[in-house]
């Protein structure tokens, strides 16, 4: 995203371009219909991460392909995303995951 800021005065006319980078971090829940399994993770790029899971390059998920994203949440920092991922995983509850999916 490019933002242009213009300052106007009687003395100067300045055009300054400021680069703004917005990073988003995601937690996601994948579902494997073939194996009726869920997987919870976090990343910066959802589509690239799903591609890696389905390409069988992720050790913990390669046996259960294909995966689909059934839930995701976005956060401004990796720390927030990681905390939310841990919160969901600490529930250790399929029921909790399915309640998140039902809220959509």
């Amino acid at each position: 995203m490019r933002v242009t800021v213009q300052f106007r005065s009687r003395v100067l006319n300045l055009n300054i371009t400021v680069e703004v980078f917005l990073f988003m971090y995601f937690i996601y829940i994948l579902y494997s219909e073939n194996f009726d399994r869920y997987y919870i993770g976090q990343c910066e790029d959802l589509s690239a991460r799903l591609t890696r899971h389905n390409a069988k390059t992720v050790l913990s998920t390669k046996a259960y392909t294909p995966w689909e994203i059934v839930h995701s949440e976005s956060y401004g920092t990796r720390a927030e995303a990681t905390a939310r991922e841990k919160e969901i995983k600490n529930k250790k509850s399929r029921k909790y995951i399915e309640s998140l999916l039902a809220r959509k």
Side-chain angles (χ1 to χ4, degrees):
M1 174 198 284
R2 179 169 279 199
V3 176
T4 301
V5 180
Q6 293 183 346
F7 298 98
R8 295 194 182 264
S9 73
R10 293 180 202 159
V11 180
L12 309 179
N13 185 6
L14 299 174
N15 282 327
I16 300 170
T17 300
V18 178
E19 295 291 328
V20 177
F21 298 99
L22 299 176
F23 292 102
M24 293 297 295
Y25 299 91
F26 301 91
I27 64 98
Y28 59 89
I29 299 175
L30 301 180
Y31 180 68
S32 170
E33 188 174 348
N34 292 347
F35 295 91
D36 193 30
R37 282 180 79 105
Y38 291 101
Y39 176 83
I40 301 131
Q42 57 92 15
C43 66
E44 267 186 76
D45 183 343
L46 277 174
S47 61
R49 188 64 176 148
L50 179 62
T51 300
R52 286 195 304 271
H53 281 292
N54 283 327
K56 299 184 178 185
T57 60
V58 180
L59 185 62
S60 59
T61 61
K62 72 180 188 176
Y64 306 104
T65 58
W67 293 95
E68 64 178 297
I69 296 173
V70 292
H71 179 78
S72 67
E73 299 172 13
S74 61
Y75 294 91
T77 66
R78 183 172 299 276
E80 291 172 319
T82 301
R84 179 63 171 139
E85 177 191 15
K86 284 182 180 180
E87 178 185 340
I88 294 170
K89 287 181 174 181
N90 285 339
K91 300 276 187 195
K92 297 183 192 307
S93 171
R94 181 183 186 97
K95 200 177 226 182
Y96 179 72
I97 291 171
E98 290 174 346
S99 76
L100 283 176
L101 302 178
R103 291 182 204 166
K104 282 187 165 182

